[in-house]
Structure formats: C-alpha cells, structure tokens
Amino acid sequence: MEDIKRILLTPDGHRFCYRGNADLHTKFGFVKKDEIEAALPGTVLKTNMGKEMVVIEPSFIDKYGRIKRGAQIIPRKDVGHIIMETGINHKSKVVDAGAGSGGLCCALANICKEVVSYDIRDDFLEIVKHNKEFLALKNLKVKKGNIYEGVKETDADLVTLDLPEPWLAIKAAEAALKVGGFIVSYSPTIPQVMDFVAALKKSEKLIFLKTVEISEREWDVEDRKVRPKSQSIGHSGFMTFARKVKN
C-alpha cells in the first residue's frame, strides 16, 4: 500500500486520500495531480465538476482508517475507552495478545513508548507488519507466540487480551505486568466474560475492576433536521478491566 500524501476534504465532510501516483478521481469529479502537489495545506481546489475540496496534511487517524484488515479490528470507541481507563501514555509499555489485524496495537503504539504484539497465525502477523510499516510505528514489535504459554516481557503497564480463552492468559499477564498495571480483556460474548472474571477472582495478585460495553450512535445534523443515523455501532465487544496489586 502506497503512503498517503494528502487528504482532500469536501465542505460536507467527504474525505479522499491522495497517494501521489495519479490524478485524484472521485464521485464529485477529478482533481489534477499537479494541482494537489503544488497546494499548501488549507488550499481550496475544485474538481472538474466544480466541487470544492480543501487540502490538508494527513494525520495518524487518516492513515489508520486505511490500514489493511484481515480479522475484525476493535472499534475506535473501545480503543479510546481502554486508553482513558488505564491512563497509558508516552512512557507506557504494553503487551498485546491476539494481534489480529493490528488495529489495537497500532493505535496504542501511536501514544505509548513500546508495544509488543503477539499472535500465533502467520497470516495475521503479516498483516500487522504491513500496517506497522504503513503507519511508521517503529516502537511496535510484532512477535509470533502463544501468550497462554507465557511471554518474556516484564514491567508492563498494560496487557491487552483479544483471545478466545483469555482466562488461560492470566498467569502470563500477571508475570508481565508491574504492580499497578492493568489487564484488559476484549470479548464478544458473555460466557467468555463470565469465565474470565471467575478466573480473575481466584488470583491473589489481581483485582477485578469492571466489565463494560460502549455503544456509539452518530447523528445527522442538517439545519433543524436532526436525528440519529439509521445505522449505528451497537454491540462490538465487552471490555473487562483488572489491575495487578502485588507481585
């Protein structure tokens, strides 16, 4: 996948990625490559059909929306909740298990000091490596491994689990975390949550904090015509939070 060179936004919020290899063709007409290349951020260009588009530099989130996908990624609404509930930042070390397409580990690597992401499937690991390069995340390490069998990392601030049987990873997560660090398990079904919480409560090193799900409903706002969009993001997964309290 070629890098994104510019973002072109229409006044009504449509976003188009210019990759630098040809004229930009859209449903609103096309904009010539030379015009885009010469435009400074904030420049307003017009397509051949007269549609205005403003040129801006791409940010991380613009590129993140174009990552390669295999397995379903954790939605942004849930990623944001994980970040705020655990307080991770530019000093944090994270171990991520069940990399999938890398949506979560890439988002965390954008703000953390170091993220190590594990998966047992070669096809998923290749997708994550591709997305790592596309997003230029040098602090993201991608490893093949089964966290159920343990990991080498220690003193982590956060361990994230997106696994079929997260309760089997509790011992490995305990060993990887520093005191005060968090475990977050992301599961689509209630039986997974029940088994994970039951295992947490047997641990002498961890305390169960809470299980939550986040719903998101976007609204259409056009003058005084304001109503929820016909399609919204409902249930995506349950997030279960725990914290290590002793070695």
Side-chain angles (χ1 to χ4, degrees):
M1 183 185 295
E2 294 183 11
D3 195 11
I4 298 173
K5 307 295 185 182
R6 296 283 193 281
I7 298 294
L8 278 76
L9 291 174
T10 67
D12 47 359
H14 290 90
R15 179 177 60 178
F16 300 96
C17 298
Y18 169 71
R19 301 184 185 277
N21 54 352
D23 296 341
L24 179 67
H25 288 264
T26 77
K27 63 182 180 180
F28 302 114
F30 71 87
V31 183
K32 292 183 178 180
K33 176 178 182 293
D34 292 342
E35 292 182 27
I36 300 174
E37 294 280 359
L40 296 174
T43 301
V44 176
L45 302 177
K46 288 187 177 182
T47 70
N48 65 312
M49 295 171 59
K51 184 73 171 181
E52 290 188 347
M53 295 185 178
V54 62
V55 179
I56 61 174
E57 294 287 345
S59 67
F60 173 82
I61 202 63
D62 293 311
K63 295 184 179 183
Y64 183 82
R66 296 294 189 273
I67 61 174
K68 187 175 181 180
R69 301 191 186 193
Q72 183 68 33
I73 68 171
I74 295 177
R76 298 178 192 181
K77 65 182 179 66
D78 296 335
V79 175
H81 192 74
I82 290 170
I83 290 170
M84 289 306 299
E85 285 291 327
T86 61
I88 53 174
N89 55 51
H90 67 284
K91 298 178 181 179
S92 302
K93 294 170 58 179
V94 178
V95 175
D96 170 64
S101 298
L104 178 59
C105 65
C106 287
L108 298 181
N110 184 53
I111 65 170
C112 293
K113 180 180 180 180
E114 177 183 302
V115 177
V116 181
S117 188
Y118 284 88
D119 210 290
I120 60 173
R121 290 183 50 168
D122 291 326
D123 54 341
F124 287 167
L125 292 170
E126 288 303 312
I127 292 173
V128 180
K129 290 175 183 177
H130 177 279
N131 290 333
K132 169 188 172 177
E133 295 301 320
F134 176 61
L135 296 170
L137 296 169
K138 295 181 180 180
N139 61 328
L140 172 60
K141 298 179 182 179
V142 184
K143 294 184 178 182
K144 184 174 183 178
N146 186 346
I147 195 172
Y148 297 160
E149 299 172 358
V151 296
K152 295 182 179 179
E153 286 72 30
T154 59
D155 202 35
D157 298 278
L158 170 65
V159 173
T160 57
L161 306 173
D162 187 1
L163 305 166
E165 299 174 305
W167 52 92
L168 297 180
I170 287 178
K171 292 299 182 183
E174 284 178 347
L177 281 171
K178 70 180 185 182
V179 173
F182 292 84
I183 300 177
V184 181
S185 176
Y186 191 85
S187 298
T189 70
I190 283 295
Q192 289 171 304
V193 174
M194 293 168 64
D195 289 345
F196 182 65
V197 173
L200 280 175
K201 291 183 176 180
K202 294 177 182 177
S203 171
E204 296 180 352
K205 299 180 180 181
L206 302 170
I207 56 171
F208 165 64
L209 299 176
K210 63 179 179 179
T211 294
V212 299
E213 66 171 333
I214 306 296
S215 296
E216 178 180 304
R217 185 167 69 171
E218 188 175 351
W219 287 59
D220 284 318
V221 181
E222 185 177 350
D223 297 326
R224 297 188 66 81
K225 179 184 174 183
V226 180
R227 64 182 183 184
K229 286 185 178 291
S230 55
Q231 291 184 341
S232 62
I233 302 176
H235 173 73
S236 50
F238 300 101
M239 291 169 282
T240 297
F241 293 81
R243 197 165 192 181
K244 183 174 178 178
V245 292
K246 67 177 179 179
N247 285 319

